[in-house]
Amino acid sequence: MNEGERLTELAKRRGFYFPAADAYGGAAGFWTYGPQGAALKDNIEDAWRDRFVVQAGHQEISAPDVMPEPVFEASGHLDGFDDMIVECGECGATHRADHIVEDNTDIEEAESLPNEEVMEIIASNDIPCPSCQASLADEPVDNFNLMFETNIGPGSSSPGYLRPETAQGIFVEFPQLSEYARNQLPFGVAQIGKAYRNEISPRKSLVRVREFTQAELEHFVDPEEDEPPLSTVEDVTLPLYSGERQQADDGSVEQMTVGEAVETGVVTSDWVAYYLGIARDWYERIGIDMDRFRFRQHLPGELAHYASDCWDAEAEIDGDWIEITGFAYRGDYDLQKHAEYSGDDYTVFKQYDEPITVERPTVDPEMSYLGPEFGGDAQAVADALEQLAADDPDAFDGEEVSVDLDGESVTVPVDQTGFSVEEITENGEHITPHVVEPSFGVGRLIYTVLAHAYTEDEVDNETRTYLELPPEQAPTTVGVFPLMDRDGLGEYARQLAEGLRQAGHSVTYDDSGAIGRRYRRQDEIGTPYCLTVDYESLGDPEGDADPENLQTDTVTIRERDSTAQKRVSIDGLAETVERLVGGELTFDDL
Ligand code: GAP
């Protein structure tokens, strides 16, 4: 079994995740998180919220999953959110054309190639249909839009779509959100929520699915003035796989600090570099192995329709690199588009430090001249003159000025236009903010964290499997076991478990089977600590402990990774566990 297969088997057996609606045959690309998976997901989302919302001083919102069609007309998803599809003429199976090219050749980022080229590569390499092995050589490679369509209300007059990214729920509400931020840039708005993509070929369990959770931050900045606090991350070392490196023959990842990446221009946007630095440390916090991790720059053909530069965080599993996060500089693309399509105001008013005096060309046309001259078109001519004064005041330098009226040029004497240049005082200007976007896929984070945590070792001459999860992320923090459920041991352990739960810990009580088996069960879900209640805890009613060293009201605590055990007092145990989980106390120092 490879890493992915081992993980999927463990995930199903131990309640992390499994195919949804299996009783009815299921549907590819939909997964249910079981009790351990849902808890791990919550922990990862909480850690994300802690770093990218709370510590960063940003705000979080929750927008609807379904939005009306005009939102996606404006965002460009209706026209441009496509993948390449090829359909087998023999069995009718559909496949992602770029993926089958990558799977069958040395080409790495086939997504960046035009459809015709992908079609030629399929033909020249005689790539067969992965389902039935028939030739795909003459099959066309088409675009397939990934959005799920629905109808809002009865009938089909109001089409809607399940959002393909949570981001649009933030962009579309910008006029409100900017007010809440008192129109002060920079400000960030985050959202953790579902996104939906009708993927052509879902694969690798949580890696490519049709419904998934994104954690996205849209940071709105003034491109002229706002700078990220680079000094806070400048010494963080990033494993960078730039576009240039990818295209070089011996291209390899280069390690450089955030400061160096900015200075040498390898990462062109200071904001993107800043977020790469923040994120790198966060990935380590949640348990991603930094020896199996890199940031890869998008090649030009790969860039999303909205992005001018983009880096992906990628994690290695089974020799494949999986994109876990995209860091994009989206410029003012989204806000401009929503302004254009909705007619609403997607700008912020930028107040100057000092008012400035500017010259403003204006016209005050003589209607007693325009009326007889242009009849019903007089107002249109006046409007055209006003526009021309704003766009090209030099046009009024001569004796006559020409404007376009429905494709026809008409001429007006300048002395009939009332042209003048006024001096006015301005306190500020309206600008459209730019957007920097770190966009995390929560399912892929979970998959990576689990794959990188999966460890096997030998304990008591047996192979043991355990998940080396950081205690903060582990779905269950403590396992509580009575040695046996008799002589009051069970009651004592249940009370201990209840006390720890009341103190906020995630606790599993288990009294079934041999203690060794119970430890193994907890090891497999990554529980960092187990507490065992034995006769000594109860004051040694059996009378076989050394009376000199009797430690009533103590339990053994076992550490997952080392399997070492110590005796600890139950006094203040909840706090001890909290300090262990939070890293303020080490097991050795107990
Ligand atoms: N708002 C930007 C955006 O959506 P993206 O690169 O398309 O960018 C962001 O998606 C992240 O969402 C990816 O890095 C990945 O982790 C996750 N993601 C995208 N498509 C996915 C899918 N079909 N299944 C699971 N996760 C996916």
Side-chain angles (χ1 to χ4, degrees):
M1 274 202 276
N2 66 22
E3 254 185 300
E5 289 162 351
R6 252 179 6 201
L7 188 58
T8 304
E9 186 277 323
L10 176 79
K12 188 170 177 189
R13 189 160 47 79
R14 289 288 175 222
F16 281 97
Y17 54 85
F18 47 87
D22 218 14
Y24 292 93
F30 295 93
W31 293 77
T32 294
Y33 288 98
Q36 302 303 328
L40 176 60
K41 183 168 180 281
D42 281 350
N43 291 348
I44 288 182
E45 289 174 6
D46 285 348
W48 189 86
R49 192 173 274 120
D50 173 56
R51 184 63 193 93
F52 292 92
V53 183
V54 180
Q55 285 186 41
H58 298 318
Q59 306 294 317
E60 185 177 352
I61 67 160
S62 178
D65 289 9
V66 176
M67 286 192 282
E69 186 168 72
V71 171
F72 300 109
E73 259 165 23
S75 69
H77 285 89
L78 208 54
D79 269 351
F81 197 58
D82 301 325
D83 274 343
M84 289 178 212
I85 192 169
V86 59
E87 185 174 344
C88 174
E90 193 69 29
C91 71
T94 48
H95 306 285
R96 239 185 97 164
D98 50 330
H99 284 175
I100 59 172
V101 163
E102 286 163 15
D103 292 345
N104 288 278
T105 68
D106 289 338
I107 298 168
E108 274 186 15
E109 299 299 333
E111 188 185 0
S112 61
L113 304 173
N115 290 12
E116 303 72 46
E117 199 174 329
V118 170
M119 194 177 156
E120 276 166 28
I121 296 170
I122 291 176
S124 59
N125 288 275
D126 210 8
I127 298 178
C129 165
S131 305
C132 74
Q133 307 304 315
S135 171
L136 292 174
D138 296 321
E139 305 300 345
V141 170
D142 293 320
N143 288 333
F144 174 76
N145 191 290
L146 298 184
M147 283 200 297
F148 281 101
E149 191 178 357
T150 184
N151 290 308
I152 300 177
S156 56
S157 60
S158 181
Y161 293 86
L162 291 173
R163 61 185 180 188
E165 56 172 2
T166 59
Q168 293 307 322
I170 297 176
F171 296 138
V172 86
E173 309 302 0
F174 180 81
Q176 296 280 346
L177 298 171
S178 151
E179 270 192 37
Y180 302 144
R182 296 184 311 284
N183 292 306
Q184 300 287 312
L185 293 176
F187 69 91
V189 180
Q191 185 169 203
I192 299 178
K194 287 288 175 80
Y196 305 83
R197 298 183 188 178
N198 198 5
E199 295 286 350
I200 297 167
S201 324
R203 59 181 184 172
K204 289 192 189 154
S205 67
L206 302 184
V207 174
R208 190 164 297 281
V209 293
R210 289 176 166 145
E211 175 181 324
F212 54 99
T213 300
Q214 287 188 318
E216 298 201 293
L217 170 66
E218 310 303 328
H219 201 158
F220 299 101
V221 302
D222 176 348
E224 300 286 318
E225 287 191 8
D226 293 334
E227 282 173 13
L230 269 181
S231 60
T232 57
V233 288
E234 65 190 352
D235 294 331
V236 175
T237 301
L238 308 173
L240 295 180
Y241 193 32
S242 63
E244 202 176 308
R245 287 259 165 164
Q246 290 166 59
Q247 282 158 337
D249 286 346
D250 62 343
S252 58
V253 167
E254 62 190 321
Q255 303 284 340
M256 57 168 79
T257 63
V258 172
E260 289 163 349
V262 167
E263 220 170 270
T264 54
V266 171
V267 179
T268 47
S269 155
D270 288 9
W271 280 104
V272 170
Y274 170 71
Y275 276 113
L276 298 187
I278 297 274
R280 186 245 167 253
D281 285 352
W282 184 79
Y283 293 127
E284 195 166 28
R285 166 177 163 185
I286 64 163
I288 291 179
D289 182 350
M290 286 297 116
D291 291 334
R292 303 171 70 185
F293 175 83
R294 69 184 185 190
F295 289 110
R296 189 183 66 78
Q297 188 177 27
H298 276 208
L299 297 172
E302 234 185 301
L303 283 173
H305 57 274
Y306 49 73
S308 57
D309 191 16
C310 188
W311 288 75
D312 286 342
E314 295 185 331
E316 183 274 325
I317 296 168
D318 279 323
D320 290 336
W321 287 95
I322 293 167
E323 175 199 332
I324 52 177
T325 308
F327 298 83
Y329 192 83
R330 295 179 78 128
D332 61 3
Y333 177 88
D334 302 275
L335 298 187
Q336 289 279 15
K337 285 285 174 199
H338 286 302
E340 183 186 328
Y341 280 70
S342 70
D344 217 334
D345 183 6
Y346 280 74
T347 63
V348 292
F349 187 70
K350 179 174 158 184
Q351 189 103 22
Y352 298 140
D353 294 339
E354 298 281 333
I356 57 166
T357 306
V358 290
E359 292 188 335
R360 195 172 66 190
T362 123
V363 290
D364 184 13
E366 203 56 67
M367 294 312 277
S368 59
Y369 170 81
L370 296 188
E373 194 69 17
F374 299 107
D377 289 333
Q379 188 55 49
V381 174
D383 293 343
L385 287 168
E386 191 179 334
Q387 191 59 50
L388 185 64
D391 295 346
D392 181 15
D394 293 348
F396 292 80
D397 281 352
E399 297 206 341
E400 290 186 326
V401 62
S402 299
V403 289
D404 186 78
L405 193 64
D406 289 336
E408 208 177 296
S409 177
V410 297
T411 303
V412 182
V414 169
D415 59 7
Q416 300 295 332
T417 64
F419 177 81
S420 66
V421 178
E422 291 174 354
E423 286 211 331
I424 54 162
T425 303
E426 283 186 351
N427 295 312
E429 64 182 314
H430 286 272
I431 62 161
T432 305
H434 281 204
V435 177
V436 192
E437 179 196 64
S439 167
F440 295 69
V442 175
R444 291 189 189 178
L445 290 172
I446 291 172
Y447 186 79
T448 305
V449 165
L450 287 175
H452 288 190
Y454 189 103
T455 315
E456 286 180 357
D457 65 0
E458 190 129 313
V459 174
D460 299 335
N461 296 324
E462 264 186 43
T463 303
R464 166 180 84 129
T465 299
Y466 68 102
L467 295 180
E468 205 176 343
L469 295 170
E472 187 199 15
Q473 303 307 318
T476 301
T477 313
V478 211
V480 177
F481 316 146
L483 199 58
M484 294 166 256
D485 189 10
R486 66 170 204 225
D487 303 333
L489 291 168
E491 192 47 34
Y492 193 100
R494 276 189 285 274
Q495 275 180 21
L496 183 67
E498 193 48 32
L500 290 166
R501 281 191 196 111
Q502 295 309 316
H505 293 297
S506 153
V507 181
T508 291
Y509 170 86
D510 187 359
D511 59 17
S512 64
I515 277 283
R517 290 286 128 222
R518 289 183 246 166
Y519 283 142
R520 297 292 177 278
R521 282 200 284 270
Q522 295 305 315
D523 287 343
E524 281 198 325
I525 58 169
T527 306
Y529 304 106
C530 289
L531 304 172
T532 301
V533 172
D534 55 19
Y535 284 104
E536 202 167 345
S537 313
L538 307 187
D540 191 28
E542 298 228 309
D544 49 12
D546 172 4
E548 297 272 305
N549 295 314
L550 185 61
Q551 299 181 72
T552 308
D553 285 336
T554 60
V555 291
T556 60
I557 181 165
R558 172 190 181 266
E559 188 191 39
R560 177 195 62 207
D561 301 353
S562 63
T563 71
Q565 298 192 26
K566 292 190 173 189
R567 276 206 95 79
V568 285
S569 166
I570 64 161
D571 277 348
L573 190 53
E575 198 192 328
T576 305
V577 170
E578 189 163 333
R579 292 176 64 215
L580 283 169
V581 171
E584 294 155 44
L585 181 68
T586 65
F587 193 77
D588 287 346
D589 291 338
L590 255 187

